[in-house]
Amino acid sequence: MGDAVRVGAIDCGTNSIRLLVADIDPAAGSLHDVVRRMEVVRLGQGIDRTGVIAAESMERTLATTREYAAQCRSLGAAKVRFVATSASRDARNASEFAEGVRTAFADEWREPVEPEVVTGDEEARLSFTGATGDLLAQGVAGPYLVVDLGGGSTEFVRGTDAVEAARSVNIGCVRMTERHLVSDPPTEAEIAAAVGDIDAAIDDAADVVPFEGVRALVGLAGTVTTIAAHQLRLPTYDSAAIHLSKAPVDEILRAAADLLHMTRAQRAALPYMHPGRVDVIGAGALVWSRIIERVAGAAGLDGVIASEHDILDGIARSLVE
């Protein structure tokens, strides 16, 4: 680890903000976690309807950003990159949020950090890099289809050693919950309306990213890993058990359907359920199940892989490229 560089990566999404401080050895390509954190802050709450980041969402997110900046300093990160995705692309008051991030880092890390609202293409590249490092190392054959299922958007990325095709579409667990799945549990009419939106978005993705010939379908982010935990019936959330776990298609679809039809109280009682996912996991499970059915059908796949490594790892790796 003599030549390792300590870096800080922050991924600020629609639902959560995450921090990874890691030691990366550029020569070996290895990444070792120092700390990995996730807080549900709901930056994108209501944006689909209002077009602005709500004051309380902004306050929550910037308070956590300040905490992360202080942690980057205390752990001695040499470089930091802050990437913001769907919510801060779509909001009219995004500049106010960006200024808050700059101030937090100036005060706590004492170096300038510019929040980057990355394009869908760059988001796809970072997710792909983060997700496929371990697959390549373990000899899992490509081409891979990496699906990063977020709060506001979902990225479809195909490739083996590098990105060959990518598309970002506006379906996600928060967006679909707010738009359609408002009852507890959701009604069949709400589910049917959501399926219409989801299937149209998958059609859009399939126009750009071919599903045929994919050898491995890899799902990323909290919705996917929580469904994997449910399928595995874990006694508690266990990243090591979830990372690169491969589940039969029918089992993962059953787990997703189960979560979709549960009440929020039933979901909250599950030992691996993060409190911030309780109300949105049903919509996430519906999105993921529609994608699995479509891709597995087109590519003839019998299993689905869940990855704990995603855009956050890609952001960290980009700092030493």
Side-chain angles (χ1 to χ4, degrees), residues 292-303:
I292 291 170
E293 286 184 12
R294 185 72 172 272
V295 175
L301 300 176
D302 58 359

Side-chain angles (χ1 to χ4, degrees), residues 33-319:
D33 290 13
V34 178
V35 72
R36 201 180 274 264
R37 289 181 58 184
M38 189 272 288
E39 309 295 331
V40 172
V41 289
R42 290 286 163 86
L43 181 66
Q45 194 158 18
I47 281 184
D48 197 43
R49 189 182 71 255
T50 64
V52 295
I53 298 168
E56 60 275 20
S57 303
M58 179 124 39
E59 198 177 310
R60 277 194 303 269
T61 308
L62 291 175
T64 306
T65 299
R66 192 166 278 276
E67 235 177 83
Y68 286 0
Q71 197 159 13
C72 286
R73 180 175 171 79
S74 68
L75 292 171
K79 299 176 178 181
V80 174
R81 188 175 181 192
F82 186 109
V83 169
T85 53
S86 183
S88 40
R89 263 200 302 259
D90 301 342
R92 287 197 300 275
N93 58 344
S95 59
E96 187 189 331
F97 172 67
E99 192 48 47
V101 172
R102 286 187 206 105
T103 303
F105 275 92
D107 292 350
E108 301 294 339
W109 194 52
R110 301 178 201 166
E111 297 274 350
V113 168
E114 188 63 30
E116 300 171 63
V117 180
V118 296
T119 63
D121 283 349
E122 172 69 350
E123 193 173 340
R125 190 186 71 80
L126 291 168
S127 292
F128 186 82
T129 306
T132 56
D134 290 349
L135 294 170
L136 287 162
Q138 293 210 1
V140 176
Y144 314 118
L145 180 65
V146 173
V147 177
D148 189 345
L149 203 169
S153 65
T154 295
E155 281 67 51
F156 291 75
V157 196
R158 178 181 171 138
T160 302
D161 302 315
V163 174
E164 291 160 13
R167 181 82 174 115
S168 178
V169 293
N170 281 339
I171 47 168
C173 59
V174 175
R175 203 183 287 269
M176 290 299 103
T177 302
E178 290 183 354
R179 195 179 286 177
H180 297 296
L181 305 189
V182 291
S183 302
D184 179 27
T187 66
E188 288 308 315
E190 289 169 357
I191 291 168
V195 163
D197 274 7
I198 294 162
D199 288 356
I202 297 171
D203 286 343
D204 182 9
D207 284 344
V208 179
V209 183
F211 298 162
E212 295 76 12
V214 164
R215 300 280 297 279
L217 172 59
V218 188
L220 317 183
T223 286
V224 170
T225 59
T226 304
I227 295 166
H230 189 58
Q231 180 263 329
L232 292 164
R233 293 293 191 271
L234 297 178
T236 181
Y237 191 92
D238 180 350
S239 296
I242 293 164
H243 184 51
L244 300 189
S245 62
K246 185 175 181 180
V249 165
D250 59 338
E251 282 189 30
I252 213 81
L253 290 176
R254 206 158 38 238
D258 205 22
L259 288 167
L260 171 63
H261 291 100
M262 280 182 179
T263 63
R264 288 174 186 174
Q266 287 169 326
R267 292 178 198 150
L270 297 170
Y272 34 78
M273 183 65 64
H274 189 286
R277 294 206 189 284
V278 168
D279 57 334
V280 296
I281 188 73
L286 183 59
V287 173
W288 187 219
S289 62
R290 299 305 291 181
I291 292 169
I292 291 170
E293 286 184 12
R294 185 72 172 272
V295 175
L301 300 176
D302 58 359
V304 183
I305 297 169
S307 175
E308 285 277 355
H309 291 186
D310 52 29
I311 191 171
L312 196 54
D313 302 72
I315 295 164
R317 287 181 181 280
S318 74
L319 287 164

